[in-house]
Amino acid sequence: YPERWGYLQFSSQPVSSVTFNLPYQEQQKRYLWLIYYRQKQWYKAHHHYAALQELGITSPVSINKKNNVLQLEATQHQFMALITDSENKVTWAINQEGFIQRLTQPDE
């Protein structure tokens, strides 16, 4: 479960004065993993993948006060869930195998 691995933060400041914040893109990926695990549960019970609403997940979601749109494309045997930052248009995706990839680059 690489999505559950820890994060290591280095700082030259005293430990008590440093606050760790999960990187923004990792927060986005947490939503993808949520969809992934719910899809696996749904598939086990229904023998096909579900639509986003059937999983009890709504879109858009707010991450660090930025709107992110969730999308889900599903067939009987596969799915791809996407999260797109409405501000910079970066899209991350996860499929039924747990493969995460960046689909778009930020606007420059």
Side-chain angles (χ1 to χ4, degrees), residues 6-105:
Y7 289 88
L8 184 61
Q9 178 179 354
F10 295 94
S11 174
S12 58
Q13 304 299 317
V15 172
S16 61
S17 67
V18 177
T19 302
F20 174 76
N21 293 312
L22 190 64
Y24 178 68
Q25 68 185 22
E26 296 304 314
Q27 292 179 45
Q28 288 177 299
K29 291 176 188 176
R30 282 186 168 187
Y31 278 93
L32 295 178
W33 284 113
L34 171 67
I35 294 170
Y36 173 86
Y37 286 116
R38 288 198 182 168
Q39 280 287 38
K40 292 301 181 177
Q41 290 174 337
W42 183 274
Y43 190 87
K44 188 175 182 179
H46 300 93
H47 309 290
H48 66 87
Y49 289 112
L52 199 58
Q53 298 79 10
E54 293 173 303
L55 299 175
I57 300 171
T58 59
S59 178
V61 294
S62 179
I63 302 172
N64 291 350
K65 299 180 182 176
K66 295 180 183 181
N67 275 343
N68 284 261
V69 176
L70 296 170
Q71 295 175 289
L72 181 59
E73 301 168 2
T75 66
Q76 184 173 356
H77 300 290
Q78 59 188 8
F79 72 88
M80 180 173 282
L82 303 101
I83 187 166
T84 303
D85 182 312
S86 297
E87 184 178 309
N88 64 18
K89 307 296 186 215
V90 172
T91 299
W92 289 90
I94 191 168
N95 68 12
Q96 71 282 349
E97 296 175 352
F99 178 69
I100 291 183
Q101 61 183 321
R102 187 179 190 159
L103 298 181
T104 58
Q105 299 300 319

